[in-house]
Amino acid sequence: MPARILDGKALANRVTGSIRERVAARIAAGRGVPTLAVVLVGEHPASQVYVRNKRRTTETVGMGSRAFDLPADVAEREVLDLIDRLNGDPAVHGILVQLPLPPQIEPERVIEAIDPAKDVDGFHPYNVGRLVLRMPLLRPCTPLGCMKLLAETGEPLAGKHAVVIGQSNIVGRPMALELLMERCTVTICHSATRDLPGLVRGADIVVAAIGKPAFVRGDWIREGAIVIDVGINRGADGKLCGDVDFAGAAERAAWITPVPGGVGPMTIAMLLSNTLQAAEAIDGRPSG
Ligand code: NAD
């Protein structure tokens, strides 16, 4: 039976619609406009597209957006000084520094400089530690978006065997922690993993975050599995594609996310959700 599509675009529209209402209610009640500062260093083409989307979507829900575009050769000190100023600015609730950064800038140092209360990407060691300890506050957006998509299936997650392919700090690792928090049995795979096809064949849930087009083959997917494809790649035909062979996997899976229109829109929706959460925590007065 062909898989059902987990429509990330539709779900993201529902989430952002509800955020828009909560933002409007906040503003009507005289509270500050939740505001996101987005720092972009250099002219990485994919980053420019992501940042443009993030800024545009922030504005469409009625939030404030502050743009800081710095030249590729900017000194690390200048970036840290900017973050210091944004940390101290009460009108800024969220700070996002788009990755990757040019080689003269240490991403860990920049991430650690962000006030954890404004760390809407959820990458600060404090926020990652909270997730490890099952006391999450601001959570990494892509894994959180994947969890919302999994919830859409209506299937109970406890006890399912989830195989996460990829162990990056921004996707694979926090994804595994999110799944563990829902009491999945989690296997994390990476480039040194032996017998990846065999592990994937045993998975009830497959999350692919590798960055290689159609790397996960359809015949690896167990009948009835849920497939979440995080990958965003440019295929040989120039079109966007995921890390999973969509057509092959869709013949066997029960549910699958498309690329584009799956995880990507949910990542941005979760960024807005985190920004609103940060604003509410900062002024200590939840709205709605
Ligand atoms: P990354 O390069 O940091 O990590 C890739 C991971 O894949 C590594 O942990 C590596 O060990 C693993 N890997 C590589 N080759 C492998 C192999 N042969 N077998 C098993 N594992 C292997 O990438 P990332 O930042 O985690 O991103 C992964 C993908 O997700 C990329 O395509 C990226 O564009 C995409 N992405 C999408 C979103 C979104 O919103 N949809 C957000 C972030 C990243």
Side-chain angles (χ1 to χ4, degrees):
M1 203 178 90
R4 293 168 74 182
I5 302 295
L6 277 169
D7 185 342
K9 205 168 164 196
L11 179 57
N13 281 339
R14 290 208 302 278
V15 172
T16 49
S18 127
I19 292 174
R20 191 179 301 116
E21 284 171 19
R22 288 170 62 201
V23 169
R26 236 186 101 85
I27 295 169
R31 294 177 212 154
V33 177
T35 297
L36 173 65
V38 179
V39 181
L40 174 65
V41 184
E43 283 162 10
H44 194 273
S47 294
Q48 285 178 318
V49 175
Y50 295 147
V51 163
R52 204 179 317 129
N53 281 341
K54 288 170 187 174
R55 287 174 179 157
R56 197 188 47 223
T57 324
T58 306
E59 285 164 7
T60 62
V61 296
M63 290 186 184
S65 168
R66 297 239 203 123
F68 298 89
D69 293 346
L70 307 176
D73 62 355
V74 68
E76 185 182 85
R77 187 68 260 158
E78 273 187 58
V79 179
L80 294 175
D81 286 347
L82 170 62
I83 289 174
D84 246 12
R85 285 200 301 280
L86 296 172
N87 282 343
D89 185 341
V92 169
H93 304 94
I95 303 169
L96 179 155
V97 179
Q98 184 65 40
L99 301 176
L101 290 165
Q104 78 277 14
I105 303 174
E106 199 73 63
E108 290 79 11
R109 204 170 295 147
V110 170
I111 291 167
E112 276 207 82
I114 298 172
D115 177 350
K118 297 188 178 187
D119 167 42
V120 287
D121 254 340
F123 296 160
H124 190 287
Y126 174 79
N127 283 316
V128 178
R130 301 273 319 196
L131 184 59
V132 171
L133 298 173
R134 291 178 275 182
M135 308 154 70
L137 285 174
L138 293 170
R139 297 148 81 164
C141 303
T142 300
L144 186 55
C146 293
M147 295 310 289
K148 303 280 178 208
L149 285 163
L150 284 172
E152 281 296 285
T153 67
E155 291 198 28
L157 301 182
K160 281 200 168 32
H161 183 202
V163 169
V164 179
I165 318 173
Q167 58 149 348
S168 71
N169 288 349
I170 64 172
V171 188
R173 280 167 192 256
M175 185 72 227
L177 292 168
E178 290 281 358
L179 290 161
L180 192 56
M181 208 155 52
E182 291 302 321
R183 304 182 62 239
C184 289
T185 302
V186 184
T187 302
I188 308 174
C189 303
H190 44 75
S191 50
T193 295
R194 278 179 279 170
D195 189 22
L196 181 65
L199 290 164
V200 173
R201 283 192 178 105
D204 303 308
I205 298 170
V206 180
V207 181
I210 311 154
K212 295 184 177 167
F215 180 81
V216 176
R217 287 180 19 195
D219 64 3
W220 297 2
I221 302 298
R222 181 177 179 162
E223 289 284 341
I226 305 173
V227 177
I228 306 286
D229 191 348
V230 181
I232 303 179
N233 311 293
R234 201 54 78 180
D237 56 2
K239 289 191 186 150
L240 281 189
C241 67
D243 288 345
V244 179
D245 162 26
F246 181 85
E251 281 175 24
R252 304 166 69 94
W255 294 92
I256 189 166
T257 60
V259 178
V263 176
M266 286 306 293
T267 296
I268 299 191
M270 293 303 103
L271 173 67
L272 301 179
S273 168
N274 277 353
T275 305
L276 180 56
Q277 185 181 327
E280 289 180 345
I282 286 169
D283 66 18
R285 293 172 298 178
S287 67

